[in-house]
Amino acid sequence: MGVPTPPVAPKFLGTAPALILESDKVPNASEGSKKIPGDPVFLMKKTIILSFCFSFLILESALWAQPAHNWNSPSEVVKQVKKKFSDLNSYKADFQIQTVSNKKSKNMRGVCLYKKGGRIRYQFSDPSGDEIVSDGKTLHIYIARLNAVGKQDLTLNKSNKSGPIFSSFTDEGLSRIFRKYHYKFDSIEQPQTSPKDGRKYFVLNLEQREKVGGFETMLLYVDAESYFIQKAVASDGRGKETTVEFSNIEINPDLEDGQFNFHISGNAKIVNNPLVSEQ
């Protein structure tokens, strides 16, 4: 009896190995009777080999389809955002607000100021005269065309409300938002390059832990270098979408506390606590 022939080494065709085992070859005349194509053992071995090669191709394609991991994580981005706003004393920026509801769009713009302690001031140039002002204890929302002021006591219990979208851009509001919302990356590829300005942003997708009204979902666009939230897109349960976007950001300008005081004119109509009640 002759020495058995060793198995043939795997051959590689492109990137997928075409495995050919000696036992799968049709033997020549000197090796005895030929295997016929209808032999069930022969067909079974061929099927196993072809299945293996097909599975390898699928697995390899899936691996190539995944982008290289850049080791960023949503929790790390949130940590950096919190640190950014915790270290921030003040900022000044231009803002644009767009609301879309029932296929109708409304655009607003102006200048905003922020100072640690929950102080905010949004001065609208469009619509002219409107203001949103908070000294950290009371929020005033003034609508010039109605000569009306919404006066909101911020010390009331707001545990079941999402709060105004503007709180996304304050140190005090961020901690609360990340407690009330689940968050994750919007897609695998992070950060994303914006086609608008060419800058890179981490995009966080936030969803209310409990559906209690207000904004149920948010997208936060975080600058990948500064970790400043450049844009927020928020949606409520009725299909209304609100987008707030900042530009020309000035970090830590010298702002006086008096800039965050609101003075109500004598003939303005006052509506107390329009955003939330004590219940």
Side-chain angles (χ1 to χ4, degrees):
M1 181 179 294
V3 179
T5 305
V8 177
K11 297 180 181 179
F12 291 86
L13 302 177
T15 57
L19 298 184
I20 304 175
L21 303 181
E22 182 67 22
S23 59
D24 296 316
K25 296 172 63 179
V26 179
N28 56 36
S30 63
E31 293 173 319
S33 60
K34 293 184 179 181
K35 286 187 178 181
I36 59 175
D39 186 330
V41 176
F42 176 80
L43 291 176
M44 181 179 69
K45 289 181 179 179
K46 281 293 185 185
T47 301
I48 291 172
I49 293 168
L50 290 172
S51 298
F52 174 81
C53 293
F54 182 68
S55 299
F56 184 88
L57 282 170
I58 293 175
L59 175 61
E60 185 185 49
S61 298
L63 290 173
W64 277 105
Q66 296 295 327
H69 202 298
N70 53 20
W71 303 112
N72 293 307
S73 71
S75 59
E76 180 61 25
V77 171
V78 168
K79 178 181 176 181
Q80 293 297 329
V81 169
K82 286 182 177 180
K83 184 179 186 306
K84 174 68 177 182
F85 279 82
S86 177
D87 294 342
L88 192 66
N89 183 59
S90 62
Y91 69 76
K92 179 180 180 181
D94 296 332
F95 71 86
Q96 294 185 58
I97 303 173
Q98 181 186 61
T99 58
V100 179
S101 180
N102 296 323
K103 298 182 179 180
K104 294 181 179 180
S105 178
K106 181 180 180 181
N107 294 283
M108 299 169 281
R109 66 184 67 245
V111 176
C112 71
L113 308 175
Y114 163 78
K115 189 172 184 179
K116 189 178 287 293
R119 301 176 181 90
I120 61 171
R121 188 176 198 102
Y122 283 72
Q123 296 177 301
F124 290 79
S125 57
D126 183 16
S128 179
D130 285 7
E131 289 185 282
I132 298 174
V133 184
S134 172
D135 60 3
K137 298 178 181 179
T138 305
L139 176 71
H140 292 91
I141 303 172
Y142 178 64
I143 302 175
R145 67 182 178 84
L146 300 177
N147 194 26
V149 180
K151 184 180 179 182
Q152 179 65 54
D153 183 358
L154 298 180
T155 64
L156 295 180
N157 180 9
K158 304 181 290 299
S159 60
N160 290 325
K161 299 294 181 179
S162 64
I165 191 173
F166 308 104
S167 63
S168 304
F169 308 97
T170 69
D171 176 26
E172 298 77 9
L174 276 173
S175 294
R176 185 166 171 273
I177 283 176
F178 288 126
R179 289 197 310 269
K180 296 294 182 182
Y181 288 76
H182 295 291
Y183 57 84
K184 61 182 180 180
F185 280 145
D186 183 50
S187 64
I188 294 175
E189 186 63 32
Q190 298 289 338
Q192 302 176 16
T193 301
S194 169
K196 183 177 179 179
D197 58 14
R199 297 181 68 87
K200 291 186 176 181
Y201 297 93
F202 294 109
V203 184
L204 294 171
N205 189 328
L206 281 66
E207 184 175 352
Q208 268 186 351
R209 293 177 182 272
E210 298 180 23
K211 297 296 186 292
V212 292
F215 295 115
E216 294 187 356
T217 62
M218 289 189 192
L219 285 177
L220 300 183
Y221 291 77
V222 180
D223 188 289
E225 293 183 5
S226 69
Y227 287 96
F228 191 92
I229 299 175
Q230 204 85 16
K231 182 171 75 170
V233 182
S235 301
D236 64 19
R238 295 169 295 178
K240 181 179 179 180
E241 183 177 275
T242 302
T243 301
V244 181
E245 189 168 4
F246 290 94
S247 59
N248 301 321
I249 300 169
E250 184 180 348
I251 301 297
N252 291 326
D254 187 15
L255 301 177
E256 297 293 333
D257 290 351
Q259 292 178 270
F260 302 95
N261 294 331
F262 183 79
H263 303 284
I264 302 175
S265 64
N267 62 348
K269 180 181 179 181
I270 300 174
V271 180
N272 287 308
N273 301 320
L275 301 180
V276 63
S277 68
E278 296 189 50
Q279 285 74 34

